[in-house]
Amino acid sequence: MDNFVEEISTKLDPGAIVRDPELIAAFTTDWTRRVSGKCDLLVRPRDHQGVLDVVQAAINHHIKLQIQGGNTSLSGGSVPLEGEVLLSLGRLCARCAVDPDTLVATVDAGVTLERLQREAMKYNLTLGVDLASRGTATLGGMAATNAGGLHVLRYGSMRSSVISLRCVWGDGTESPRSAPLIKDNSGISLTPLIVGSEGTLGVITELTLRLVPVLNSKAVAMVPFVTIADAVAFAGKVRRMTEAVSAIEMISRRAIRIVEEVKGVVFPIRETFEVAVLLEISSNAGAGDELMEILQGTLLAPQLQSTLLGIDNTSWSGLWQWRESITESIQRVGEPLKLDLSVPVSALGDLWRAVDEVQSDLAGGLDVIRFGHLGDGNIHVNLLAEEEVLDLAEVEIYRRVAELDGSITAEHGIGTLKKEFLSLVRTEWELARMRDLIAIFNPGRTLNPNVLI
Ligand code: MLT
Ligand code: ZN
């Protein structure tokens, strides 16, 4: 370790090398508080060359590195578990350049989503991907984990927004600067491969991202449904009617109750419901009228009466608050086990029933809080219980998801928390090919040795 520190201290600025345990402690527990690691050294290079120097020195001295962006991982993918040196990209954030004619931004990996949103907004542009953790999540981390978020239905996950990347690979080599080419068909592209590889192939240092125009007319409805099956049917009908849908989110009654309890607020819908669907319509003009037409064409009169409408800025952001406050509110009542399940949208009813069955089999010891991205078939199931009950519930729910041809992670990634379950949803052949790729790009597992596989 001393030789490693000696080598990097000749190359990085003094502020880039941190050994103070108190400062390091802020980086070693992940956002869920369920994963805490140990680490004696934090390195924070400011540029691509600095990252290259750190990775090459790590290879020279057989040091393992754990990469971290904003540390907003919800699957333990960003903290060092076994004393790896923490390579934080938080200071690699000088560049955030918008090219308004190409509709792209070129950014350093440590730039936060919120900062890009601010810069892009100067040209009435934004990134299609948006998340509640926008103030902390970094674009490099979002690409490495193929983050999804609130508008996947319209704009896709990060993979759809990344045009090109610059990386330092785990073998100590580097790729060239990322170019803002909208079209480039010159052979096999490594870009879609590294997106979602969770830092097991290389460190992303710079990204060129596709931007989309900000749609200035928005309208939101919160519609209560007595069953998840009714909610799924509604979502399908709406999507067959228009392309203007920018989100179809789901909040269960239990999630609403937790937000009410923690925030001291009262949900305005008093009728009995199992799920509330947040539908957002965005366009350049007349979103409110289009939303009303959609609701009139899909809902019966009593349902229409209990629907909440957000037609102006204040009222639609008020409705979004219910959805965006869930994660933080649950975190205030406990340390949930966060499942991030995905099934075909048409199988959401089966998944709901399977989770209900697991809950009743565990005889009342399990608190189940469901919310998420109904339009994408991605439901977050947060579980609160004694650890042994959580372990049983997790295994059983994942088994049921695999039976439904679903995935154990739609957007949070495998990280360190879901590694043992990866083989439930990926074949031996696929796992072997993942290992082959890691052996090519990150041969000594210098980068993220405990993540993914
Ligand atoms: C969300 O959809 O709110 C995020 O994925 C965060 C979470 O799952 O808690
Ligand atoms: Zn989510």
Side-chain angles (χ1 to χ4, degrees):
M1 180 68 85
D2 289 345
N3 293 340
F4 169 70
V5 175
E6 203 180 307
E7 182 172 336
I8 58 171
S9 27
T10 59
K11 294 176 172 157
L12 305 180
D13 65 281
I17 300 172
V18 181
R19 302 193 94 160
D20 177 347
E22 268 180 43
L23 288 177
I24 295 177
F27 294 79
T28 54
T29 298
D30 87 337
W31 198 90
T32 65
R33 300 194 301 262
R34 293 189 73 81
V35 190
S36 267
K38 56 178 169 59
C39 155
D40 300 323
L41 180 65
L42 165 69
V43 286
R44 305 184 297 168
R46 281 186 182 279
D47 53 20
H48 172 87
Q49 182 61 45
V51 175
L52 184 63
D53 291 336
V54 171
V55 174
Q56 288 177 342
I59 294 168
N60 293 342
H61 302 288
H62 309 288
I63 296 288
K64 306 284 184 199
L65 299 171
Q66 170 63 46
I67 311 161
Q68 188 177 98
N71 199 15
T72 55
S73 168
L74 298 175
S75 57
S78 55
V79 290
L81 288 189
E82 294 175 331
E84 301 91 302
V85 169
L86 194 47
L87 170 56
S88 164
L89 300 180
R91 292 203 319 164
L92 208 168
C93 58
R95 188 157 192 223
C96 182
V98 175
D99 173 346
D101 294 330
T102 317
L103 275 76
V104 299
T106 299
V107 301
D108 282 342
V111 169
T112 63
L113 170 59
E114 193 170 76
R115 179 159 155 226
L116 173 61
Q117 287 175 335
R118 259 198 322 270
E119 290 300 319
M121 188 51 120
K122 294 176 186 164
Y123 304 94
N124 197 47
L125 294 171
T126 192
L127 187 72
V129 176
D130 191 18
L131 319 162
S133 57
R134 56 186 76 79
T136 322
T138 61
L139 293 157
M142 287 171 60
T145 56
N146 190 27
L150 306 168
H151 303 299
V152 170
L153 203 55
R154 180 116 172 207
Y155 300 112
S157 304
M158 274 303 271
R159 196 171 276 121
S160 314
S161 293
V162 176
I163 290 175
S164 60
L165 292 167
R166 188 175 203 199
C167 285
V168 172
W169 303 97
D171 64 355
T173 59
E174 60 181 319
S175 53
R177 290 208 83 121
S178 61
L181 295 181
I182 301 298
K183 299 178 85 175
D184 175 12
N185 223 0
S186 54
I188 298 171
S189 169
L190 299 181
T191 302
L193 186 65
I194 193 162
V195 177
S197 63
E198 302 191 37
T200 58
L201 305 179
V203 189
I204 298 171
T205 57
E206 183 184 289
L207 314 87
T208 298
L209 299 164
R210 187 187 309 282
L211 300 176
V212 295
V214 174
L215 297 170
N216 289 311
S217 178
K218 256 189 208 176
V220 173
M222 184 80 83
V223 193
F225 290 95
V226 176
T227 69
I228 182 76
D230 294 340
V232 167
F234 168 73
K237 263 190 221 158
V238 172
R239 292 183 64 202
R240 293 193 295 276
M241 285 170 84
T242 176
E243 280 191 331
V245 177
S246 45
I248 304 182
E249 297 285 297
M250 183 283 291
I251 314 177
S252 66
R253 194 180 56 236
R254 178 73 187 117
I256 294 275
R257 294 293 168 258
I258 289 190
V259 175
E260 287 186 321
E261 195 183 304
V262 169
K263 301 269 173 195
V265 286
V266 177
F267 192 56
I269 299 177
R270 301 318 296 164
E271 289 81 0
T272 310
F273 65 94
E274 182 161 46
V275 297
V277 170
L278 185 152
L279 167 67
E280 183 187 81
I281 298 294
S282 322
S283 57
N284 275 323
D289 293 342
E290 181 161 8
L291 178 68
M292 282 316 295
E293 255 173 57
I294 290 169
L295 296 176
Q296 277 155 1
T298 48
L299 301 177
L300 300 171
Q303 263 177 312
L304 202 49
Q305 255 169 17
S306 42
T307 293
L308 305 174
L309 290 177
I311 306 287
D312 57 80
N313 271 16
T314 320
S315 59
W316 64 250
S317 60
L319 292 182
W320 265 112
Q321 271 299 310
W322 286 98
R323 170 65 182 88
E324 293 206 333
S325 305
I326 300 171
T327 300
E328 175 205 332
S329 301
I330 299 173
Q331 216 61 27
R332 297 261 292 276
V333 297
E335 281 173 23
L337 179 68
K338 295 178 84 66
L339 311 185
D340 166 38
L341 312 174
S342 150
V343 291
V345 178
S346 52
L348 278 173
D350 297 330
L351 175 62
W352 200 274
R353 253 187 315 281
V355 173
D356 282 347
E357 280 165 18
V358 172
Q359 185 180 27
S360 63
D361 288 351
L362 289 168
L366 185 68
D367 190 1
V368 176
I369 307 136
R370 284 171 275 208
F371 60 97
H373 316 286
L374 180 121
D376 312 330
N378 172 198
I379 299 294
H380 300 304
V381 179
N382 283 209
L383 304 174
L384 289 167
E386 300 290 319
E387 282 304 317
E388 310 82 74
V389 177
L390 290 180
D391 287 347
L392 292 173
E394 183 176 32
V395 172
E396 191 48 24
I397 292 176
Y398 285 160
R399 199 184 60 73
R400 303 289 200 101
V401 166
E403 273 174 11
L404 292 169
D405 286 333
S407 174
I408 60 166
T409 173
E411 57 175 8
H412 296 170
I414 293 293
T416 54
L417 285 176
K418 294 170 197 153
K419 263 167 80 169
E420 61 180 299
F421 301 107
L422 184 56
S423 60
L424 279 175
V425 290
R426 291 302 195 107
T427 63
E428 268 313 311
W429 183 88
E430 288 176 300
L431 297 177
R433 296 297 77 76
M434 285 191 206
R435 287 195 194 93
D436 290 345
L437 287 168
I438 292 172
I440 295 172
F441 292 101
N442 183 18
R445 288 242 43 179
T446 303
L447 306 176
N448 285 11
N450 290 307
V451 174
L452 182 58
I453 188 166

